[in-house]
Amino acid sequence: MTIPSPAGPQNEGSKNAAPQNAAPHNEGPRPAAPRPAVPRSGGPGGGPAHALQRVTASALGPYQSAVVRIGFAATYLFFLLRELPNRHELYGPDSPWHWDLARQLTNGNEAFSVLMWTDSTVWFEAVYALTLLSAAALLLGWRTRTMSVLFMVGVLSVQNRSIFMGDGGDNVVHLMAIYLVLTRCAQVWSLDARRAARDAQRAAAGLPPLRDIVGPALWVLLGPVLVAATLMGGLGGTWWLPALLWTIWLSAAAWWAVNRYLPHGEPRTLLDVLANLTHNATLAVIMAEVCLIYATAGWYKIQGSRWQDGTALYYPLNLDYFTPWPALSDILGASGLMVMVLTYGTVIVQVAFPFTLFNRRVKNVLLVAMICEHAGIALLLGLPFFSMAMIAADAVFLPTAFLVWLGARATIGGRRLLSGLPGRSRTPGKPGASGPAHGPAHPSEAGSVKDGRGGTEEPRLQGGGGGHTLVG
């Protein structure tokens, strides 16, 4: 069917036909222009191109990575606080594993620990206090990139000082402390996200961003320490740790220069792409790590005779070392059916979990079961920090909708708690008001913009976008 041109005459036989180059005053409905063919997601080039665009244009799992950051920082912070009276016996100068023995071991396995630089008690106290402070700052998301590096240094230093004091939970914290350095884990639920939202609001109002002094000061302060440690051979015997620390320190300078002189140019886009790729790859490694932990634990349990006959849980429930609540352990251990169900259920959940990742509903059910299992281990066997570490690792698989809902409920609860304090007004806009009545659920939402896909896009932080650089 041939469709006449809208500019042509409507009827050749009409005496009042308009000239060919004259536009008609009232045109009828035109047929829609044919749309360009768009390849389907499963077609050649559609799926891979979309996946590549997604992993380079944004840091995936912002809420999951934030929960992992908060969980592991809280786990080690509470552990250090609990062991504060015993720190000298565990990792300090009074430890049975003497400093000379630790020095021989680290020389043999090329492990890193700043506690091996000197056996001074003052130095030990300074490192312990710095690890405590970095864990608290990482928990709050303050200067997250700097604090994640200091947190990693503190965790490696304390654990490698007395490696025989740890358990499986310490190994997980050891690995995750390294992974967190490579993630953009402060996009939400952090002080860095709040600062990013504040800068976005100023930019929207046409105001320049606030001058950042703390970030460059931290960069200048840590630079000589890194140089001295490298020259004196204090970074262990591996190659990856000096390379990682130097890469982060130099990239911080690059971020600062680009944000200052080319904040909207191609170099900034390139740095964002590299940071997103690193974050997404590390998040995939964290997921694979969790699956590997459960798969190996489950398959090793299957080979044990006590796990095969369903009595494995009975024995730790009757050991004094693993019975913080003897009466509760006796009640549970007295039921043979309950012991058998929990024993077999543990094996089934751990073996099956990696295979359920392709089914969201089944995965969520097993995820709840594993979190309940670790909560039971903390309560019945007296291993709270092991359970906290594993629950924090499991959080990487939590649904985004649930985390957003949880964050909104926590924000509402916090506002209600603050509004009930003396001296704080419940009326928005008056002195003492705790905040707007209908404000964002979390700080970063104040400066977020639509990304065109129904979601939100995190605002760019002038100092690095959600605290993912050393200079903030």
Side-chain angles (χ1 to χ4, degrees), residues 61 70 94 130 139 185 316 334 387 413 424:
I70 294 171
D94 299 333
L130 182 62
L139 174 66
C185 54
S387 298
R424 298 185 69 92

Side-chain angles (χ1 to χ4, degrees), residues 52-59 272-273 276 280 453 457:
L52 180 61
Q53 190 273 340
R54 184 168 183 178
V55 300
T56 56
S58 62
D272 266 323
V273 169
N276 291 334
N280 296 331
R453 297 185 301 270
E457 194 177 66

Side-chain angles (χ1 to χ4, degrees), residues 6 42 96 222 264 302 356 438:
L222 295 176
H264 304 291
I302 290 177
T356 64
H438 301 285

Side-chain angles (χ1 to χ4, degrees), residues 97-116:
W97 189 251
H98 196 262
W99 187 85
D100 292 332
L101 295 175
R103 183 69 175 178
Q104 295 178 23
L105 182 61
T106 54
N107 288 338
N109 59 13
E110 300 181 342
F112 164 77
S113 176
V114 297
L115 292 177
M116 294 295 97

Side-chain angles (χ1 to χ4, degrees), residues 171-431:
N171 293 333
V172 177
V173 174
H174 188 111
L175 294 172
M176 295 299 173
I178 300 174
Y179 297 152
L180 284 175
V181 175
L182 303 174
T183 62
R184 306 179 81 169
C185 54
Q187 292 182 305
V188 296
W189 300 340
S190 67
L191 297 180
D192 288 342
R194 177 173 296 184
R195 189 171 72 253
R198 189 163 54 244
D199 288 345
Q201 289 178 344
R202 290 179 62 87
L207 300 175
L210 296 175
R211 185 178 180 182
D212 185 16
I213 300 177
V214 178
L218 289 172
W219 186 83
V220 172
L221 179 64
L222 295 176
V225 177
L226 181 58
V227 173
T230 303
L231 295 178
M232 297 175 60
L235 297 180
T238 59
W239 63 268
W240 64 267
L241 183 61
L244 176 63
L245 295 177
W246 275 105
T247 300
I248 294 174
W249 190 73
L250 293 176
S251 65
W255 273 100
W256 179 87
V258 168
N259 285 325
R260 184 176 180 85
Y261 299 107
L262 295 170
H264 304 291
E266 292 184 359
R268 172 58 195 265
T269 303
L270 176 60
L271 291 178
D272 266 323
V273 169
L274 294 177
N276 291 334
L277 286 173
T278 304
H279 167 91
N280 296 331
T282 306
L283 204 61
V285 171
I286 293 176
M287 294 180 179
E289 189 79 35
V290 175
C291 291
L292 185 62
I293 290 174
Y294 283 118
T296 54
W299 286 105
Y300 272 113
K301 285 182 176 65
I302 290 177
Q303 302 176 34
S305 59
R306 295 294 177 263
W307 291 97
Q308 293 176 5
D309 59 26
T311 61
L313 184 61
Y314 174 82
Y315 298 97
L317 290 176
N318 288 273
L319 294 176
D320 294 337
Y321 184 78
F322 292 108
T323 52
W325 311 99
L328 186 60
S329 299
D330 291 341
I331 294 174
L332 183 60
S335 174
L337 177 62
M338 183 62 65
V339 170
M340 182 185 67
V341 170
L342 292 178
T343 300
Y344 286 148
T346 300
V347 177
I348 293 173
V349 168
Q350 291 182 353
V351 173
F353 178 74
F355 301 99
T356 64
L357 298 182
F358 301 100
N359 189 306
R360 182 177 301 179
R361 294 182 179 180
V362 178
K363 181 263 295 182
N364 291 337
V365 172
L366 290 188
L367 195 59
V368 172
M370 289 192 301
I371 292 176
C372 294
E373 172 192 340
H374 291 302
I377 291 175
L379 179 65
L380 294 174
L381 303 183
L383 298 173
F385 300 109
F386 167 80
S387 298
M388 287 181 64
M390 292 307 304
I391 292 175
D394 294 340
V396 74
F397 295 105
L398 288 175
T400 301
F402 169 74
L403 294 177
V404 173
W405 174 86
L406 187 64
R409 300 285 80 75
T411 301
I412 294 173
R415 286 175 180 169
R416 290 178 179 175
L417 180 63
L418 291 177
S419 64
L421 296 178
R424 298 185 69 92
S425 172
R426 295 174 180 266
T427 304
K430 293 186 178 181

